[in-house]
Amino acid sequence: MNQPENAALKKDIGLFLGLSIVVGTIIGSGVFMKPGPVLSYAGSADMAMLAWLIGGLLTLAGGLTIAEVGVQIPKTGGLYAYLEETYGEIWGFLCGWVQTILYGPAIIAALGLYFGTLMVNLFGWSTTWTAGVGIASVLFLCIINIIGTKFGGIVQLVTTIGKLLPIILIVIFGFWKGDADFFSAVPEALSEINFGAAVLATLFAYDGWIMLASMGGEMKDPEKTLPRAMIGGILIVTACYLLINAAMLYILPAAEIVSLNTNAASTAAKLVLGDTGEIIVSLGIIVSIFGCLNGKILTFPRIPFAMAERGQLPFSNLLQKVHPTFQTPWVAVVLQLVLSVIFMLVSNPDKLSEISIFTIYLFYVLAFYAVFILRKRHKGKERAYSVPLYPFIPIAAIAGSLFVLISTLFTDFLSCLLSIGIAVIGLPIFYALKAKKRAE
């Protein structure tokens, strides 16, 4: 049974909040943690910069394509809603099932544990507090987002500005004071030359951009807000990634960035900002992860909420409930909280998030191809937004997704099978719910 009209979700999302959601859900720890691995795979600074650029362009192609799909299907649920509308109920269900049960909770759990680890290290606490701090951070942000999308949006906006501060400092002082050889190569002993793997590493760092699409039903003017926020957010992130990598290469030689790995950003900051630089960057990474975590908690619960509205999950009557005071999908938020806490306590969230990425990219391919189907289906109908350079941009988006899928199959075949298996488990649940509906 669907919610009455007076219990509908509030349309609180405008352009600036939309931009902060895109930037906030993409920029987490990757901007600080990935320069070393990308350099190692690329073999030299110039090839590493090219990998980051290609990753950004492929992500932008995806964003431009999904913006057209999203404008034609402005529903809460995003990727899940797009696939259901385009390919039928079963494909939408499988996508939503994976995001609800595995993808969303695993990523929230991983970010929570990263946050806990950094907080424990910063304050010198015992490592036994890591999971506790992570759980507390997730619980706090879930409460904030239950109180209201607007409050979660304020947290998102503040943390997005906060996470950009250390990036801006490293960029400004890196170009000003850096004197390293920008075009230095990575010694053979430290390099694992594989340009495809370098691009793949950047694509994982860019992941998260599509989450804004899951909130189409809460946008004030989705026909204008969704494409503008999606494209603007991806361009901001791409610029940040290129600038901070360039600045770090002016501060530290490529070989040193590879050797320092996750400590490269803090070391670079210390060299150009002094002793306080390391603390600034450490706090910046903490704020970055906190904002990214909030972005996930703000967006992921909208997927089971949209599925529950259609009766596509067990206990749908409960999961589709909107809080009578705050007008937010509070039960769906609690579901994501419970699953995330379980993953933090009994599982390896890093591995769970890695295997879920493969499955999500399967659905990305279908979502990008949907633009061709929708144009054919709505031939002659005026569109509020059209992807530029059609059909080349959607083709580039599909090619980028296929690249991720094929690369992952070659590097981690068993995990790919496991990921598909988790998706397939949803099929008997889908058919059981369908049978129940027919019997009623």
Side-chain angles (χ1 to χ4, degrees):
M1 182 176 174
N2 289 340
Q3 294 291 310
E5 285 186 20
N6 61 3
L9 296 174
K10 292 176 72 175
K11 294 183 179 293
D12 276 335
I13 300 175
L15 178 59
F16 288 107
L17 176 51
L19 282 169
S20 70
I21 290 172
V22 176
V23 174
T25 51
I26 297 176
I27 297 179
S29 57
V31 65
F32 300 104
M33 305 299 182
K34 289 295 183 182
V38 173
L39 270 168
S40 177
Y41 285 126
S44 63
D46 52 347
M47 293 304 291
M49 292 298 292
L50 180 61
W52 283 106
L53 178 60
I54 290 175
L57 291 175
L58 289 175
T59 303
L60 181 60
L64 289 165
T65 304
I66 285 297
E68 179 174 325
V69 176
V71 164
Q72 294 191 64
I73 311 173
K75 296 180 179 179
T76 295
L79 186 61
Y80 149 76
Y82 303 160
L83 297 189
E84 182 185 61
E85 186 82 10
T86 308
Y87 299 101
E89 196 175 1
I90 190 167
W91 284 103
F93 171 83
L94 287 175
C95 178
W97 168 259
V98 168
Q99 292 185 87
T100 297
I101 300 301
L102 175 63
Y103 182 69
I107 290 178
I108 290 171
L111 289 168
L113 288 175
Y114 287 146
F115 180 82
T117 299
L118 288 171
M119 289 291 287
V120 163
N121 291 339
L122 181 66
F123 292 103
W125 299 336
S126 169
T127 54
T128 57
W129 286 96
T130 299
V133 174
I135 291 170
S137 66
V138 172
L139 176 61
F140 170 76
L141 288 174
C142 282
I143 292 171
I144 289 295
N145 281 281
I146 286 173
I147 291 173
T149 300
K150 196 169 185 179
F151 291 105
I154 292 169
V155 172
Q156 192 63 27
L157 191 58
V158 171
T159 55
T160 297
I161 294 169
K163 74 172 60 179
L164 292 176
L165 181 61
I167 295 174
I168 292 169
L169 289 174
I170 291 176
V171 168
I172 292 173
F173 284 90
F175 285 116
W176 177 21
K177 294 187 174 182
D179 57 2
D181 180 9
F182 179 88
F183 295 102
S184 60
V186 179
E188 193 173 329
L190 295 173
S191 185
E192 308 171 55
I193 302 232
N194 183 339
F195 189 71
V199 176
L200 184 61
T202 69
L203 285 174
F204 285 125
Y206 282 109
D207 190 52
W209 56 271
I210 203 170
M211 292 314 300
L212 177 68
S214 68
M215 307 186 76
E218 294 171 76
M219 290 181 186
K220 295 174 182 175
D221 188 359
E223 290 81 7
K224 293 180 180 179
T225 301
L226 179 59
R228 290 175 181 175
M230 186 80 78
I231 295 163
I234 293 171
L235 287 173
I236 290 170
V237 172
T238 302
C240 287
Y241 281 18
L242 289 172
L243 286 170
I244 194 169
N245 276 275
M248 286 178 62
L249 285 164
Y250 274 112
I251 300 169
L252 295 167
E256 197 167 346
I257 293 175
V258 173
S259 296
L260 288 166
N261 199 4
T262 57
N263 294 319
S266 57
T267 302
K270 188 172 184 178
L271 287 173
V272 295
L273 294 170
D275 291 337
T276 58
E278 196 168 3
I279 297 175
I280 290 173
V281 169
S282 294
L283 289 172
I285 296 173
I286 287 173
V287 170
S288 180
I289 293 176
F290 191 73
C292 187
L293 181 59
N294 181 69
K296 305 298 186 188
I297 292 171
L298 183 65
T299 53
F300 276 130
R302 271 64 185 176
I303 297 163
F305 174 79
M307 294 183 74
E309 280 192 312
R310 295 162 177 81
Q312 292 181 324
L313 285 176
F315 310 107
S316 286
N317 287 342
L318 182 62
L319 288 170
Q320 68 174 296
K321 284 186 179 295
V322 174
H323 196 284
T325 303
F326 305 125
Q327 293 181 279
T328 52
W330 71 277
V331 180
V333 173
V334 171
L335 172 66
Q336 297 291 278
L337 167 65
V338 171
L339 292 173
S340 299
V341 169
I342 291 171
F343 286 148
M344 279 192 272
L345 290 175
V346 303
S347 261
N348 180 346
D350 290 332
K351 187 65 175 177
L352 286 168
S353 62
E354 287 170 11
I355 64 174
S356 67
I357 289 289
F358 173 82
T359 306
I360 287 300
Y361 268 86
L362 283 173
F363 296 117
Y364 278 1
V365 172
L366 293 173
F368 297 148
Y369 187 70
V371 76
F372 296 99
I373 296 174
L374 291 172
R375 284 209 178 191
K376 186 176 180 181
R377 187 180 295 173
H378 303 146
K379 191 173 182 179
K381 187 177 178 181
E382 186 178 349
R383 291 181 296 274
Y385 165 82
S386 298
V387 59
L389 299 177
Y390 179 89
F392 301 107
I393 295 294
I395 289 172
I398 292 169
S401 295
L402 290 174
F403 168 77
V404 172
L405 294 173
I406 294 168
S407 298
T408 311
L409 275 168
F410 275 109
T411 56
D412 199 353
F413 182 72
L414 290 178
S415 290
C416 292
L417 286 181
L418 178 60
S419 185
I420 292 171
I422 291 170
V424 171
I425 289 171
L427 286 174
I429 294 174
F430 172 79
Y431 287 114
L433 289 171
K434 291 284 285 185
K436 183 181 177 182
K437 282 182 182 178
R438 285 195 295 268
E440 289 175 350

